[in-house]
Amino acid sequence: MQTCDLAAPPLWRATVPVFLGVLDRLEATLRQAETALGAGYAAGLDQRPEARMLPVVRQVATAVQFTLRIAYPLAGERVPEVRAPLDAGGLIERIEATRALLRALDPAAFDGAETRPVREQAGFAVLDLTGEAYLHEFGLPNLYFHHAMAHVALKQVGVPLGKADFDGKHDYPDGFSLG
């Protein structure tokens, strides 16, 4: 997690610094996949964690966009949409643009975000939640779902990813296995 001002509003602290860390891990995962897969990297981005699920490239793009879909409504602002090609370079562009947008959010805009009403589309459902419920019950689960699905699909094509690559906190010696 990025360092943050403890005097900043709680939901700013729970989103912007955390999301910058998630974006760092997503970028590191993509770079690790590029190194591991070499010429097969583009094909690896088309891998699906399961036949009816989105491929890695869409899972990553969705996770990146979710950081904005969560943070901007909590700040009382309209969600910007980051567009770039759905390919390796485009994913890095999306991550970089999203970092800049998150860093541009004023922490003071998150004052009162816990009780701010947020309306969001969830599949075919329309959700009306308080900011705190939106973050914990919808936003974070969806962000981590799409991050995890990209992680799993890249493992399926041979990228040597582990828990430390996903959360940035764990540390295991080379060759260690829980299985």
Side-chain angles (χ1 to χ4, degrees), residues 13-53:
R13 293 192 323 261
T15 56
V16 174
V18 173
F19 297 166
L20 291 171
V22 170
L23 293 172
D24 289 348
R25 288 189 298 284
L26 283 167
E27 181 177 356
T29 295
L30 292 172
R31 296 203 185 281
Q32 192 171 347
E34 184 176 25
T35 299
L37 300 176
Y41 181 46
L45 293 178
D46 288 332
Q47 175 70 25
R48 296 169 184 268
E50 194 272 333
R52 297 179 312 155
M53 296 181 78

Side-chain angles (χ1 to χ4, degrees), residues 108-119:
F110 288 76
D111 282 334
E114 297 86 353
T115 58
R116 182 172 289 137
V118 177
R119 175 170 272 213

Side-chain angles (χ1 to χ4, degrees), residues 74-156:
L74 294 176
E77 297 190 27
R78 186 173 175 274
V79 179
E81 187 171 350
V82 174
R83 294 187 178 271
L86 283 171
D87 59 19
L91 291 176
I92 299 301
E93 285 178 42
R94 287 170 188 259
I95 290 169
E96 290 170 352
T98 300
R99 275 193 195 108
L101 288 164
L102 289 170
R103 287 184 177 125
L105 285 170
D106 181 1
F110 288 76
D111 282 334
E114 297 86 353
T115 58
R116 182 172 289 137
V118 177
R119 175 170 272 213
E120 178 67 57
Q121 189 82 28
F124 294 102
V126 176
L127 305 178
D128 287 302
L129 300 167
T130 64
E132 187 166 18
Y134 175 70
L135 172 63
H136 295 296
E137 297 173 19
F138 176 74
L140 289 175
N142 276 280
L143 169 61
Y144 289 122
F145 173 83
H146 291 288
H147 182 183
M149 292 305 100
H151 185 90
V152 165
L154 287 170
K155 285 179 68 76
Q156 290 172 340

